[in-house]
Amino acid sequence: DVKVTQSSRYLVKRTGEKVFLECVQDMDHENMFWYRQDPGLGLRLIYFSYDVKMKEKGDIPEGYSVSREKKERFSLILESASTNQTSMYLCASSVPGQGGEKLFFGSGTQLSVL
Amino acid sequence: DQQVKQNSPSLSVQEGRISILNCDYTNSMFDYFLWYKKYPAEGPTFLISISSIKDKNEDGRFTVFLNKSAKHLSLHIVPSQPGDSAVYFCAASAEGRDDKIIFGKGTRLHILP
């Protein structure tokens, strides 16, 4: 089974801190994604990557950056955390051409910014 | 503007009855549609998908119907079981595009005993 692992389940940070969310997948998937989930807003794409060192902005990239130095690892960076970035963050991976890109998600990181 | 719409935030269904979750889309370029299921404190998991060349796909208790002319799809769960209580996300994508999957806002399904 595909395993997508997010480094933290719960994280509490202060406003202005730099925050790193790490994600690792073990199935050699080319594609990796970062979403955030908020009540009433569903899943919104922050950034995605189709290859090492490649990144593309999603729907809500402001305030975030990403890093993909190795195929299996995709990091989300909050340069200066703000309270409106309190959310559930979900990492996913997929193989392109799987008929609609079936995504495999990690368990999520619930981030609280105080 | 929302390209994938789930207009019912929540739905309650008696155990053993049929659950019907609806989804509308606006982009005629979408040609793959997926349903994901999410339990609290877990990531979403893929449930079932359908290509635009089909109008129905079935997998056990789960059936997805696609009406292209109406730009509407629905997920039927029959019979509904307590473990089906979760949030269900409808999603759509366009094959061959260097693109991303678009998710709806989700419908929370409660299966009542």
Side-chain angles (χ1 to χ4, degrees), chain A residues 24-44:
Chain A
V24 177
Q25 50 96 1
D26 66 357
M27 283 301 291
D28 203 35
H29 284 175
E30 286 86 353
N31 303 336
M32 296 190 76
F33 306 81
W34 275 106
Y35 288 87
R36 63 179 280 180
Q37 184 198 359
D38 301 288
L41 296 178
L43 295 169
R44 293 181 294 167

Side-chain angles (χ1 to χ4, degrees), chain A residues 3 9 80 99:
Chain A
K3 192 165 177 69
R9 291 298 300 269
S80 177

Side-chain angles (χ1 to χ4, degrees), chain A residues 7-74:
Chain A
S7 53
S8 305
R9 291 298 300 269
Y10 301 95
L11 214 49
V12 180
K13 295 291 181 182
R14 296 283 180 189
T15 302
E17 279 193 75
K18 190 168 186 175
V19 182
F20 293 86
L21 301 183
E22 305 288 346
C23 175
V24 177
Q25 50 96 1
D26 66 357
M27 283 301 291
D28 203 35
H29 284 175
E30 286 86 353
N31 303 336
M32 296 190 76
F33 306 81
W34 275 106
Y35 288 87
R36 63 179 280 180
Q37 184 198 359
D38 301 288
L41 296 178
L43 295 169
R44 293 181 294 167
L45 182 66
I46 305 171
Y47 267 97
F48 60 100
S49 170
Y50 284 143
D51 202 351
V52 174
K53 296 191 184 294
M54 178 273 179
K55 59 186 178 184
E56 291 286 343
K57 292 180 179 179
D59 300 316
I60 51 164
E62 295 79 18
Y64 303 95
S65 62
V66 290
S67 172
R68 193 162 181 205
E69 296 296 319
K70 294 184 178 181
K71 190 175 185 179
E72 66 271 17
R73 186 180 297 271
F74 193 36

Side-chain angles (χ1 to χ4, degrees), chain B residues 6-63:
Chain B
Q6 294 177 259
N7 293 319
S8 298
S10 67
L11 177 68
S12 294
V13 175
Q14 209 76 36
E15 182 179 354
R17 307 294 289 268
I18 183 171
S19 295
I20 301 175
L21 294 89
N22 293 305
C23 180
D24 298 296
Y25 63 96
T26 57
N27 189 342
S28 58
M29 295 300 292
F30 288 145
D31 52 10
Y32 279 98
F33 304 90
L34 308 96
W35 286 93
Y36 285 81
K37 177 180 179 179
K38 186 182 183 302
Y39 293 119
E42 293 184 16
T45 55
F46 169 76
L47 189 59
I48 192 169
S49 65
I50 188 167
S51 162
S52 60
I53 62 174
K54 296 184 176 181
D55 56 16
K56 176 182 175 182
N57 188 26
E58 192 171 354
D59 184 2
R61 297 186 297 113
F62 303 91
T63 303

